[in-house]
Amino acid sequence: MSWRGSTTIPDRIFACLPYLLPLVDSLGFSEFLLQQFPILGILLLPILPIARVYQASGYGQILVFFALFFFVVRNEKINHFIRFNAMQAILLDIVIFLSSILLRVFGTLPSSDFAAQILANTIFLGIFACVVYSVFQSLNGRYPEIPAISEAVHIQVR
């Protein structure tokens, strides 16, 4: 869907950048999948330098999160298309955070190694699919609609 005016090429590129946040945060869930299919690591090679810098900074992760929210999503001067995508990336990151809590609970249960691996693989593949879909739609100038998440984004970004 492409409403609220047209988008320019720079707007489309800037709308894709916030999706690095959930993609980098979901790399922690990719460990089991990459052990089973090492060839998939080639897809993630361009992101690894960004991930290392992002994860090496102690409070940088939370600063990026709040900077995106306060300086991009809440800034009415920025194009709605960019703000929508930034908020959607933030909500995907919140899903990752909640999923990591769920994975810790499953990881502490006895004989749950297999269940934890399946859950981690599912989380990573789900977030990866959402990011790829959202970036593709954003580059085409369309609003990426992810069920439930996009509805929450529409409530936050008017």
Side-chain angles (χ1 to χ4, degrees), residues 138-150:
S138 297
L139 287 175
N140 286 323
R142 290 183 238 134
Y143 283 78
E145 297 290 333
I146 300 171
I149 292 178
S150 294

Side-chain angles (χ1 to χ4, degrees), residues 36-96:
Q36 295 167 356
F37 304 101
I39 195 81
L40 293 177
I42 295 172
L43 291 174
L44 302 175
L45 278 179
I47 301 162
L48 290 180
I50 297 169
R52 285 193 182 126
V53 169
Y54 178 73
Q55 292 169 349
S57 60
Y59 294 107
Q61 296 175 355
I62 196 79
L63 290 175
V64 169
F65 182 86
F66 282 115
L68 265 179
F69 184 74
F70 288 117
F71 297 125
V72 177
V73 174
R74 293 292 176 209
N75 189 351
E76 297 283 330
K77 296 177 184 173
I78 295 178
N79 188 348
H80 183 270
F81 186 69
I82 297 171
R83 294 186 304 124
F84 176 88
N85 283 291
M87 187 64 201
Q88 189 154 284
I90 287 172
L91 287 181
L92 284 173
D93 202 45
I94 290 171
V95 167
I96 293 169

Side-chain angles (χ1 to χ4, degrees), residues 4 13 37-38 44 87 89 98 106 108 111 116 120 127 130 141 146 148 152:
R4 298 197 187 241
I13 293 170
F37 304 101
L44 302 175
M87 187 64 201
L98 295 175
F106 271 114
T108 59
S111 70
I127 295 296
C130 287
I146 300 171

